[in-house]
Amino acid sequence: MSDSSTSKPGSPAAGPAPHGGRDATLAVHAGRDPQAHGGAVNTPVYHVSTVLFPNLEAIENIPRMQGRRMRYGRRGTPTSWAFTDAVTALERGHDAVAVPSGVSAISVALLAFVQAGDHVLVADSVYGPTRILCNGLLKRFGVETTYYDPRIGAGIAALIRPNTRVVYMESPGSLTFEVQDVPAIAAAARAAGAVPVIDNTWGAGLVLKPLTLGCAVSLQAATKYLVGHSDAMLGVIVADEATFPAIRDMAGDLGLAAGPDDLYLGTRGIRTLDVRMRQHQATGIALAQWLAARPEVARVLHPALSDDPGHALWARDFTGACGLFGCELKPLPHAALAALLDGLRYFGMGYSWGGFESLVIPAHPEGQRSVVPWQSAGPLLRFHAGLEAVEDLIADLDAGFARAAAIPA
Ligand SMILES: *Cc1c(COP(=O)(O)O)cnc(C)c1O
């Protein structure tokens, strides 16, 4: 396992931080160096714009400054390095850049590699704002996007053109949960000289390791599981050695600097990520199985269920699941759907996911597809399994179905 965070020259480390080990251990130790901060267990929050240099020689030497010395707030602080080092270790990357949101991570990861006349391939199941970026900004600057069936696998090779610069994946899709053949798609991209990029928010850098499966760049909405408490916006892009300079420079050119308090919350979230994910996974699977057995449910979209179309790929490439999955209901009156959702006690209705609390939203993928139309007779719900007791969550949903059944058709 490569862990670049052990060997950063000029790190403020007084001595080598304890690294290596399994993910649960990395989540606790990576990016942390108490003796460099007076013994504090957590890297402090550096609120910095101006950095003062001790003398003329030091300030004249900025361009030749080696490694990690603070030079200006936007260029990184111990608070940002703690976060990026921890994510880099978990994702098995070379290095990472933190940005103010997941969408800014997506923007950087695409803009880093394209120019006018180029072409990108993007999964049809992609997060909605990624499509907006491709169809808007990228198109306006002369970059063409072709969407592809997320289940295309090695067949992606037929869509790659001489000017294809990026093959963009998201697995599973965060509304429709198709699992992609990441190694096959990444290999085809690399063979054609394109950069394989993936949105790894569902995997949280924990249960999917895209850089070990051939991807060059793995980004996350750290807003979700890394922050983990629904109280900060944050993005991160992890890259391999060959692509990291382009990612770093694009984030720098765009002037994207994540705020210190948000970075701190991201790092603090990582400390409990492994144990939280285990519970999100267990509760999510339990809810998915309970829903799959309900007469009101047409199908459940969760790759950990053995009859899910993506199950074999998920079992091959993932080491687990998060708490996000979908559920298509059989057709029901809109008033019945409202009765189901409006009276829920523990499931909040709201966007985002990855926090400690359970969520449900109505999902409408039909307007966000251009290659594989989304078809369902009844409404699609997206659930996030939080950290509540699963019995209480099941009772909440059970009461919801009873309310829906009481509404006349
Ligand atoms: C939420 C989300 C994003 C965007 O993250 P923000 O922090 O909200 O900008 C990107 N990708 C996926 C899959 C998401 O769910």
Side-chain angles (χ1 to χ4, degrees), residues 247-261:
I247 293 288
R248 179 197 57 210
D249 292 349
M250 180 52 63
D253 290 352
L254 294 174
L256 297 172
D261 293 311

Side-chain angles (χ1 to χ4, degrees), residues 123 125-127 150 170-180 199 202 301 303 324-325 353 369 382:
S125 50
V126 78
Y127 179 65
E170 182 179 324
S171 182
S174 65
L175 278 188
T176 49
F177 301 97
E178 295 94 335
V179 180
Q180 299 199 249
D199 182 330
W202 195 91
L301 312 170
L324 194 78
F325 65 96
W353 42 283
R369 308 284 290 214
R382 188 182 74 180

Side-chain angles (χ1 to χ4, degrees), residues 101-104 106 127 170 174 199 201 221 223-224 233-234 353:
S101 69
V103 168
S104 53
I106 293 164
Y127 179 65
E170 182 179 324
S174 65
D199 182 330
T201 304
T223 306
K224 309 293 165 59
M233 306 293 303
L234 194 61
W353 42 283

Side-chain angles (χ1 to χ4, degrees), residues 190-214:
R190 281 184 184 272
V195 181
V197 174
I198 188 167
D199 182 330
N200 194 26
T201 304
W202 195 91
L206 200 61
V207 298
L208 186 73
K209 308 290 189 192
L211 271 63
T212 70
L213 301 175

Side-chain angles (χ1 to χ4, degrees), residues 181-194:
D181 190 337
V182 173
I185 294 171
R190 281 184 184 272

